[in-house]
Amino acid sequence: MVFSTDRAEEFVGSGTYANVYKARNLETKQTVVVKVFKLEGPDEEEAARKEVFFMRQFNSPFIVKCLDSITDRKQFFIIAEYCECGTLDDMVKTAIEKKMKIKENQILSYLTQLAMGLREIHQNKILHRDIKAQNVFLTEGTRILKLGDFGVSKCLCFTSDMAQTITGTPFSLAPEVCSGQPYNYKSDIWGLGVLLYYLMTKRLPFVSNSMPTLLEMIKSGETAPISEFYSAELRDLCMRMLKKV
């Protein structure tokens, strides 16, 4: 399959509106990621154009870059930079398999990079709304990470604006979202806290097979303690990020 100058080499995954492929640019030989939206209705095209718009607002080494976008009326293609070391979730699952803890200095490095990427996003008045390990991509031997997937992101035109739609991954929803209340940038900080907890414990802070039960667990804010393998300062930071507003 060829996308303009990019040839697909490997199917990576799929989402609500799109399939994702690893591809190679036939001119530059650069490996890229191509997200393919089938334009079966106005929702698909709106989602694709919105994601491109968001990605082009950013200029951060900690956010996946949009390299190009193409449409042929039947499909819409987003060409983005490729991160060769997989996702942060892949790394955590490897640590689980090997029964290893992720070192604190590595977690601090990742947290700093994510915070810098998130600052860039928020400075552009955008909510990510789906911060999770599967949306964080690793490169340069897992030293550098990049936040990606802006498919459910939202623009807040003014600092005082609030979002109201319940969207994102259920396990990472902030309490105010679960309660149906308006929310803002603080909901992304909550998502970052969920991710930090996951890195330290290798489990999510709130888990249930029942959506109503999960929402009540999140609203209660009660989590299992974090291992004292990590410093009191880092554990306290995580708990403060998971504090209800």
Side-chain angles (χ1 to χ4, degrees):
M1 187 182 299
V2 178
F3 315 109
S4 182
T5 58
D6 300 289
R7 182 181 297 278
E9 294 182 338
E10 179 183 337
F11 175 75
V12 176
S14 60
T16 304
Y17 295 118
N19 292 326
V20 182
Y21 299 86
K22 174 184 172 184
R24 183 174 296 275
N25 186 290
L26 300 177
E27 295 177 353
T28 66
K29 308 303 181 185
Q30 178 185 11
T31 300
V32 297
V33 167
V34 180
K35 196 168 186 178
V36 184
F37 294 77
K38 288 187 177 181
L39 302 183
E40 298 175 342
D43 289 347
E44 289 82 358
E45 183 168 4
E46 180 183 358
R49 292 190 182 279
K50 184 180 74 170
E51 188 162 354
V52 169
F53 171 79
F54 287 146
M55 293 178 74
R56 286 181 171 165
Q57 306 308 303
F58 312 131
N59 183 27
S60 168
F62 309 116
I63 298 174
V64 174
K65 286 182 172 58
C66 175
L67 304 175
D68 199 0
S69 63
I70 306 165
T71 183
D72 63 4
R73 296 189 178 183
K74 293 183 179 179
Q75 297 181 106
F76 193 105
F77 309 99
I78 299 176
I79 296 93
E81 64 179 324
Y82 173 67
C83 297
E84 75 282 359
C85 297
T87 69
L88 195 55
D89 193 50
D90 295 332
M91 195 194 77
V92 173
K93 287 178 177 175
T94 298
I96 292 172
E97 290 173 3
K98 295 183 177 180
K99 298 181 179 180
M100 296 171 54
K101 290 188 181 296
I102 302 171
K103 294 181 180 179
E104 181 160 334
N105 60 352
Q106 187 173 16
I107 291 177
L108 286 171
S109 174
Y110 287 164
L111 182 62
T112 300
Q113 293 176 59
L114 283 168
M116 292 175 71
L118 197 55
R119 181 179 65 177
E120 171 87 3
I121 294 167
H122 290 174
Q123 284 178 339
N124 281 278
K125 298 182 174 62
I126 293 169
L127 292 180
H128 186 281
R129 300 206 295 183
D130 199 17
I131 295 175
K132 59 182 180 180
Q134 294 93 328
N135 288 340
V136 178
F137 303 91
L138 298 169
T139 186
E140 295 188 24
T142 73
R143 290 189 308 106
I144 304 297
L145 55 72
K146 296 174 183 283
L147 187 56
D149 198 341
F150 293 85
V152 298
S153 298
K154 181 177 177 62
C155 182
L156 298 182
C157 296
F158 301 98
T159 304
S160 59
D161 279 358
M162 306 284 274
Q164 298 189 43
T165 307
I166 296 179
T167 189
T169 302
F171 300 110
S172 300
L173 293 177
E176 58 270 28
V177 180
C178 296
S179 299
Q181 299 174 355
Y183 57 94
N184 58 15
Y185 304 108
K186 293 178 182 179
S187 65
D188 277 346
I189 302 302
W190 174 279
L192 189 56
V194 170
L195 180 51
L196 176 57
Y197 185 97
Y198 182 53
L199 288 173
M200 288 194 284
T201 66
K202 299 190 289 293
R203 64 179 184 272
L204 293 166
F206 310 101
V207 179
S208 175
N209 292 325
S210 163
M211 179 61 76
T213 301
L214 176 63
L215 298 183
E216 289 303 316
M217 290 174 67
I218 292 172
K219 287 188 284 186
S220 77
E222 296 179 6
T223 62
I226 299 169
S227 168
E228 292 186 2
F229 174 83
Y230 297 103
S231 68
E233 291 80 6
L234 186 59
R235 287 182 280 128
D236 180 64
L237 174 62
C238 183
M239 290 301 99
R240 283 190 283 126
M241 293 171 76
L242 293 177
K243 185 177 180 180
K244 292 189 292 183
V245 296

